[in-house]
Amino acid sequence: MRIITTHTATDFDALASMVACTLLYPGSVGLLPATLNPEVKRFMGIHGDILRVTPRRGFDLEQATSLVVVDAGNWRRLEDMDALARRDGLEVICWDHHMEGADIKCGETHREEVGAAVTLLLEVLRERDAAISPMHATLFLLGIYSDTGCLRYPSVTARDAAMMAFLLENGADLNVVTAYLDDAVDDDHAEVFGQLLDGGEVLTAENVKVGIAALKVKSGLTCLARLVEKYRRLKGLDAAFGVFQADSRKCMVIGRGSPRFIDVGAIMRALGGGGHPGAGSAIIKRTGLDESARRVRELVLAGCGDENVVGKVMSPPARFLVDEGETMAGVAARFAGGNLPGLLVLGEAGLLGGLSRAECAKAVEVGRGEVPVKGFVRPNIPRLAPDTSCREAVALMADAREGILAVLDGGRLVGVVTKADLLFQVYEF
Ligand SMILES: [Mn+2]
């Protein structure tokens, strides 16, 4: 008999992948772990009977000759499957999108970097022209949406979006999807959220803003990951880590972040857990709250890195410079000839400030073209250091009248940041 299973704390992607497998492998049965995400539990409350899945508990593994593992690659993430890990001759097939840390040896592996594991299975079902009911399509879409933050996470691929379109064609019901992705939390979770907001420590390392909060919590809270993500978004952090202690023997660490600035999965693996570059969790055993938080802080400080500093993207300053003695008319001619947003005015003591194209044109218009630029220079043009992050530069550019920012190293002008420089950085051309 072929059985299908997935990780404990089963989320919609895991359930959707399991159910997709029951369509892909006729005659197979899905074994559902006992611990489910609260929304998944609510979903199973009314859909359980019409899906070909049954609780892992009470199922005799003796009958199993083939095992399909979905949305996981580790034996310890499965519920009570150790007996199969040692069974000779067992066929093992894996469908997963966690690229690191797998330890299940498979005869057949489908592991690809997509936003949701169910995307991999849907591609095959579509290829085979399998019949998909609107109810199934709705569950599969829940899988894609919950693992990709409704197609907003950077982990999303075009393949996930294509499968979303495929599911809508097959009748996926967005009203149902929205009802199960509801963001509301109960009073206990709301209290924890308040503590995260008040008690979190925010550290900045290598221009990366990370929040870490260590809290004692009641046991039985099942939506902590969602709170950590909310905390991150509300505080505008690049990454957030919650260290939660529900009993004295262990702490649970949950991390969420932008993979561009920090690899959350790598930090979790260092703590003995797992995850993706953007999300992960770990259980730290026999360690108190303070010590656990200290370990997380250390790994975060070592693992942060914003490579995107203005020193790496700035342009040479030469073509943006005018001498304080030049006339406004002369400078207006330079503006007319070149594609310059603004200019920097240099005096004997160094950078005096900036001059915008509009100011220059206006001066000439009102007959002040022969006045030296010195009289028009705006001294408080933004000045950055080479190690200022591009993100900060983007924020400053929004208010920069001259459309350029000056980069100074120890008082010496070393570069100019233009909007084009920042665009190249933002889109990683
Ligand atoms: Mn997944």
Side-chain angles (χ1 to χ4, degrees), residues 7 11-14 17 71-72 96-98 114-118 143 147 276:
H7 59 80
D11 53 28
F12 274 119
D13 184 35
S17 301
D71 197 32
D96 189 20
H97 67 141
H98 299 82
V114 287
V118 72
D147 256 35
H276 300 283

Side-chain angles (χ1 to χ4, degrees), residues 1 17 38 115 141 157 168 173 250 278 344 371 388 408 416 418:
M1 173 176 222
S17 301
L141 188 54
T157 66
L168 289 176
D173 187 328
K250 57 178 192 274
L344 298 178
V371 179
T388 304
L408 286 94
V416 166
T418 66

Side-chain angles (χ1 to χ4, degrees), residues 308-317 319-320 341 390 393-394 397 403-405 407 415-429:
N308 302 309
V309 294
V310 295
K312 287 196 177 171
V313 303
M314 66 191 185
S315 304
R319 74 186 182 99
F320 297 94
C390 286
V394 169
M397 189 63 94
I404 52 170
L405 306 170
V407 183
V416 166
V417 177
T418 66
K419 293 181 184 187
D421 293 334
L422 293 176
L423 272 179
F424 279 120
Q425 187 276 329
V426 168
Y427 287 97
E428 294 178 334
F429 290 132

